[in-house]
Amino acid sequence: MDEMITLGAEEELQIVDQVSLELAAHDFDRGVRDFPDQNGSSSCELHKAVVELQTPICYTPDQVVASVASMREVIRKRAQAQGQRILSAGVHPFSNWKNQEINGEQDKHQHYIRLVDEYADIMRSLMSYGFHVHLGVPQGIPVMPIFNSLRNRLAPVFAISLSSPFFEGRDTGVQSWRHSILDRLPRMGTPDIWASEEEYFKHIEVLRKVGTLEAQHGMWEDLRLHHRYHTLEVRICDATPSLEHIWLITALLQCEVASLVRDYRQGSLPRPQSRACLEENKWRVRRRGLAAEIIDWESETPIALHDYFDQWLARLAPVAHELGLYRAMDEKLRALFLHGASSDIQRGIFQRSANYQSVVQHLIRETEDAHFAPAYYVQ
């Protein structure tokens, strides 16, 4: 199809001690030789209890999931060799950020040193883990009109990933505490509507000029036009242990961007909603999860998230059928509302066990033993 959208993903994994199940400092360099990257790549982050994996450029959600699964297995083996385990979730349910080590070696981690110097305890306490999706738009299509309309879909995509209801041994009452942590930093949350790509990058250059951003770095918002790869990077999602949910997030975004490209060519792009309206829907999802009612701002009425997804899937049907994704998307959406997001499942485990260790053990199993069968069907 003319609107083929390339894909890539990044997942931030938690490293925990296999006995205490607390977040643990991982020696990233130690295991690289014995367990090299496979079908993807990996890197360290600010905190030593984080390893980030990156997929190569992919063309299908199946390829994204295959890379994530391969790289999880690589990181699992490295962690196991150090007496550690891995898990995927937006935050750790009970570890305290004050006990976490930072990658601060002068010769290797100047970027992290500068971040801590600028943002102090806000950055030191940033023990959060996300799943990011990159989407490449066909050449000849202006990226910013697609960017502006894609903003409208951030909250429902986020709902699939929700996985951080507990923080430092307490039920926070929300489905994603991760964004309570992230929102303390500047240049976070829902992005503005931008008139053009040129204005967007001009703003970034000004931020670099005045010393707010380092060279070769961009903003951290829920959606950004990537400063190096020139992809649309959706950053709103919590890290989630379910490969099924990762597939669904990726498939919905690929189909939505492909549909927006068609809309652009036909002169019928959806009207971008204001940041204030989108932040309202994001909050509703953060608080109520899959039980949320989000606002249809065209009719100014609430709509149950389940019904919203039905309407969205109907919009995506032409592209989804062409890509062979429709049936699997429909099935995985039904399963999502039947079984819940990770935050729902974690709360159920805690209600039965009254034990945060049981929640962590569940997340380890879900992450390390995740299985996924290729999801394509003949339409």
Side-chain angles (χ1 to χ4, degrees):
M1 62 181 296
D2 294 338
E3 290 79 20
M4 175 54 69
I5 306 301
T6 58
L7 300 166
E10 301 163 342
E11 180 180 49
E12 295 163 337
L13 290 172
Q14 301 186 34
I15 308 298
V16 299
D17 182 83
Q18 65 183 6
V19 177
S20 70
L21 304 182
E22 294 268 5
L23 288 171
H26 180 73
D27 186 345
F28 177 81
D29 296 325
R30 204 170 94 196
V32 172
R33 180 178 296 179
D34 293 334
F35 306 104
D37 294 340
Q38 294 183 7
N39 191 21
S41 58
S42 60
S43 61
C44 62
E45 279 287 336
L46 172 67
H47 292 92
K48 292 186 177 182
V50 187
V51 174
E52 181 179 276
L53 62 84
Q54 304 96 23
T55 74
I57 295 174
C58 300
Y59 299 92
T60 68
D62 274 9
Q63 292 175 356
V64 170
V65 169
S67 174
V68 170
S70 296
M71 285 304 304
R72 281 184 178 183
E73 179 62 11
V74 169
I75 306 306
R76 183 194 69 79
K77 290 177 178 178
R78 291 182 195 168
Q80 185 178 47
Q82 300 181 38
Q84 298 167 338
R85 307 292 293 271
I86 66 168
L87 67 88
S88 182
V91 300
H92 190 279
F94 62 85
S95 281
N96 191 301
W97 68 266
K98 300 181 187 71
N99 301 327
Q100 307 311 313
E101 294 184 41
I102 287 174
N103 282 307
E105 293 87 347
Q106 288 284 345
D107 58 334
K108 294 192 294 185
H109 301 300
Q110 282 295 318
H111 172 56
Y112 300 147
I113 292 170
R114 284 191 286 267
L115 288 177
V116 172
D117 180 65
E118 173 66 17
Y119 301 109
D121 265 8
I122 295 175
M123 186 58 65
R124 294 186 189 95
S125 66
L126 207 69
M127 296 303 303
S128 69
Y129 299 77
F131 175 72
H132 305 162
V133 179
H134 291 258
L135 301 119
V137 175
Q139 287 189 346
I141 300 295
V143 180
M144 199 50 66
I146 310 301
F147 174 102
N148 289 333
S149 293
L150 181 60
R151 296 160 59 260
N152 298 357
R153 303 295 184 178
L154 293 177
V157 167
F158 175 38
I160 302 168
S161 75
L162 296 164
S163 66
S164 50
F166 304 118
F167 183 66
E168 295 190 352
R170 181 177 175 82
D171 189 328
T172 65
V174 300
Q175 306 291 328
S176 174
W177 190 252
R178 170 174 163 264
H179 279 273
S180 297
I181 299 172
L182 293 176
D183 287 348
R184 291 178 291 181
L185 285 168
R187 298 174 297 283
M188 284 289 189
T190 303
D192 290 326
I193 297 170
W194 290 90
S196 68
E197 181 181 334
E198 290 74 21
E199 284 198 16
Y200 182 86
F201 283 116
K202 181 180 179 181
H203 179 68
I204 289 177
E205 286 303 319
V206 170
L207 293 177
R208 291 171 179 168
K209 178 181 178 181
V210 300
T212 295
L213 289 180
E214 296 177 57
Q216 303 305 312
H217 288 274
M219 295 185 283
W220 296 323
E221 292 169 310
D222 293 342
L223 171 67
R224 68 178 177 181
L225 182 54
H226 198 277
H227 43 285
R228 290 196 301 274
Y229 309 139
H230 211 69
T231 52
L232 296 167
E233 184 186 6
V234 177
R235 299 168 53 86
I236 194 171
C237 291
D238 283 4
T240 178
S242 170
L243 295 180
E244 301 283 333
H245 295 172
I246 284 174
W247 188 95
L248 182 57
I249 290 165
T250 307
L252 284 166
L253 287 171
Q254 185 180 40
C255 290
E256 176 64 18
V257 173
S259 297
L260 290 173
V261 169
R262 288 190 176 182
D263 292 339
Y264 172 81
R265 287 176 168 150
Q266 296 166 4
S268 58
L269 273 172
R271 181 175 64 86
Q273 295 164 4
S274 71
R275 179 173 182 164
C277 290
L278 295 179
E279 282 288 325
E280 174 66 29
N281 279 340
K282 178 182 174 182
W283 165 248
R284 286 170 170 250
V285 167
R286 279 192 59 210
R287 179 65 181 91
R288 304 296 179 188
L290 296 177
E293 290 186 329
I294 60 176
I295 307 301
D296 177 346
W297 292 104
E298 297 299 326
S299 63
E300 298 182 353
T301 57
I303 178 171
L305 200 55
H306 185 281
D307 295 334
Y308 180 96
F309 274 110
D310 284 346
Q311 295 175 16
W312 189 13
L313 189 59
R315 162 184 158 75
L316 299 180
V319 166
H321 280 298
E322 286 185 39
L323 294 175
L325 300 175
Y326 182 86
R327 182 177 169 190
M329 289 166 65
D330 182 52
E331 290 178 354
K332 292 182 194 304
L333 278 169
R334 293 176 187 275
L336 172 70
F337 281 91
L338 178 63
H339 301 294
S342 178
S343 56
D344 301 309
I345 296 169
Q346 289 178 51
R347 278 204 171 97
I349 291 169
F350 184 77
Q351 287 170 3
R352 293 190 295 272
S353 66
N355 186 306
Y356 287 111
Q357 280 76 9
S358 296
V359 176
V360 175
Q361 288 167 347
H362 157 79
L363 290 169
I364 290 171
R365 288 192 302 271
E366 287 292 295
T367 304
E368 293 186 347
D369 301 331
H371 298 286
F372 182 86
Y376 288 88
Y377 299 86
V378 176
Q379 302 298 306

